[in-house]
Amino acid sequence: MTNWNGLHIDKFNSYFIRMVYFVTIFLTFGNPAAAEKVNVTAFILPPWGMEEPGQAKGIIPDVLSLLEQETGHEITVTMQPYKQMIIDLKSGDSDFSIFFRSASSEAIADQVAMLIVLDTVVINPKGADLASYSDLSGKTIAVPKGVFLEKRFDEDTSLKKLVLDNYREVAQAVKDGRADLAAGPMITLRKEFNNLGIDKDSLGNPLVLQAKEVWLQFSKNSSKKSLHREFQEALELLVESGLIFSILSEYY
């Protein structure tokens, strides 16, 4: 059984929630009169996005699959590194993406609906607690490339940061002793450390940088802005129905 912010979801409940959801959708909503093709760029960062031969996998692709079923629109998913996702969204090559909301994202996209709130942290997997920001001084902190975590932390050039391709490499660097601390979303770091045999109970208390909101964000240059409301209502229904928690429970 998985505990997700106080919500307990086991595998049976996960499947039951999905069954109830799809029956509700079938009885309540019809497909739009004219289905449209929508281009979406998802970032490559396990478990949020993973590119395998012939298919996209991960939390975001799973959410997009449900959104496609809910709205009736045809979603074409392109997997890209985080920085390229931002470039695609800014240009309008991607109609929307699902990622952290920030001042930077608000400049290039309209925030349509929120998926979830995640704590962004710096953590010591060797059991030592981090009580304040000053505890980061003198430490090597492993961080993922191209991801915005928190303004002060991101812009602090006094901190020694080891920039790596993904969170798996971040966790491995700390385990190998190349870094002292790891930075990123708490649930992602816990998952990666667990994969390396480091139990969550052995982790020190983290320094919370901020609570970050994951949003569906539509490009300001998208030609499909008329679909804002449909995707907003669809994602809000997925959240309210428990389907988002069901997906997360499969990866965490």
Side-chain angles (χ1 to χ4, degrees), residues 19 28 119 171 184 191 210-211:
M19 180 184 70
T28 308
D119 280 341
K191 176 67 172 181
Q210 68 173 347

Side-chain angles (χ1 to χ4, degrees), residues 121-125 130 140-143 170-171 174 179-184 189 193:
V121 305
V122 181
I123 194 166
N124 187 331
L130 297 172
T140 299
I141 309 167
V143 298
V170 166
V174 179
D180 304 301
L181 309 172
L189 293 175
F193 283 128

Side-chain angles (χ1 to χ4, degrees), residues 25-246:
I25 294 304
F26 178 78
L27 294 176
T28 308
F29 299 96
N31 286 341
E36 296 198 37
K37 293 184 178 180
V38 181
N39 295 317
V40 177
T41 300
F43 60 92
I44 302 171
L45 200 64
W48 294 90
M50 297 167 281
E51 190 173 30
E52 298 187 3
Q55 63 179 329
K57 297 187 69 176
I59 294 169
I60 299 303
D62 285 358
V63 171
L64 293 173
S65 179
L66 292 180
L67 284 173
E68 184 175 59
Q69 294 175 56
E70 160 65 6
T71 63
H73 297 303
E74 181 182 340
I75 297 178
T76 299
V77 183
T78 301
M79 302 301 298
Q80 295 281 18
Y82 199 92
K83 282 188 174 181
Q84 186 61 47
M85 177 194 70
I86 298 299
I87 293 171
D88 290 350
L89 196 66
K90 185 176 182 179
S91 68
D93 288 342
S94 173
D95 291 304
F96 72 80
S97 295
I98 298 175
F99 64 109
F100 285 137
R101 179 175 184 169
S102 66
S104 297
S105 75
E106 290 174 355
I108 64 172
D110 298 320
Q111 287 61 50
V112 172
M114 187 173 71
L115 183 76
I116 197 169
V117 180
L118 300 175
D119 280 341
T120 302
V121 305
V122 181
I123 194 166
N124 187 331
K126 298 178 182 178
D129 296 341
L130 297 172
S132 67
Y133 192 86
S134 62
D135 290 341
L136 306 183
S137 179
K139 303 289 194 306
T140 299
I141 309 167
V143 298
K145 178 171 59 180
V147 177
F148 301 104
L149 298 176
E150 188 268 334
K151 181 177 176 60
R152 178 185 179 186
F153 178 83
D154 293 338
E155 297 178 356
D156 193 342
T157 57
S158 71
L159 297 177
K160 184 178 180 181
K161 298 171 186 173
L162 177 63
V163 181
L164 300 164
D165 285 338
N166 52 57
Y167 285 108
R168 182 174 59 254
E169 292 186 10
V170 166
Q172 189 67 57
V174 179
K175 183 179 181 181
D176 293 345
R178 292 181 289 126
D180 304 301
L181 309 172
M186 186 65 182
I187 60 170
T188 302
L189 293 175
R190 280 182 174 174
K191 176 67 172 181
E192 294 300 341
F193 283 128
N194 184 68
N195 289 342
L196 295 175
I198 302 173
D199 187 81
K200 65 180 182 179
D201 293 331
S202 67
L203 303 176
N205 288 328
L207 174 68
V208 178
L209 297 174
Q210 68 173 347
K212 296 197 70 173
E213 299 174 350
V214 179
W215 281 69
L216 188 158
Q217 304 183 66
F218 241 95
S219 170
K220 291 184 182 293
N221 289 318
S222 169
S223 62
K224 307 292 174 63
K225 290 184 179 181
S226 62
L227 303 181
H228 278 200
R229 186 176 181 84
E230 281 186 57
F231 279 98
Q232 175 190 349
E233 292 177 348
L235 185 54
E236 288 176 350
L237 181 58
L238 287 173
V239 172
E240 292 169 4
S241 70
L243 262 293
I244 298 302
F245 293 110
S246 175

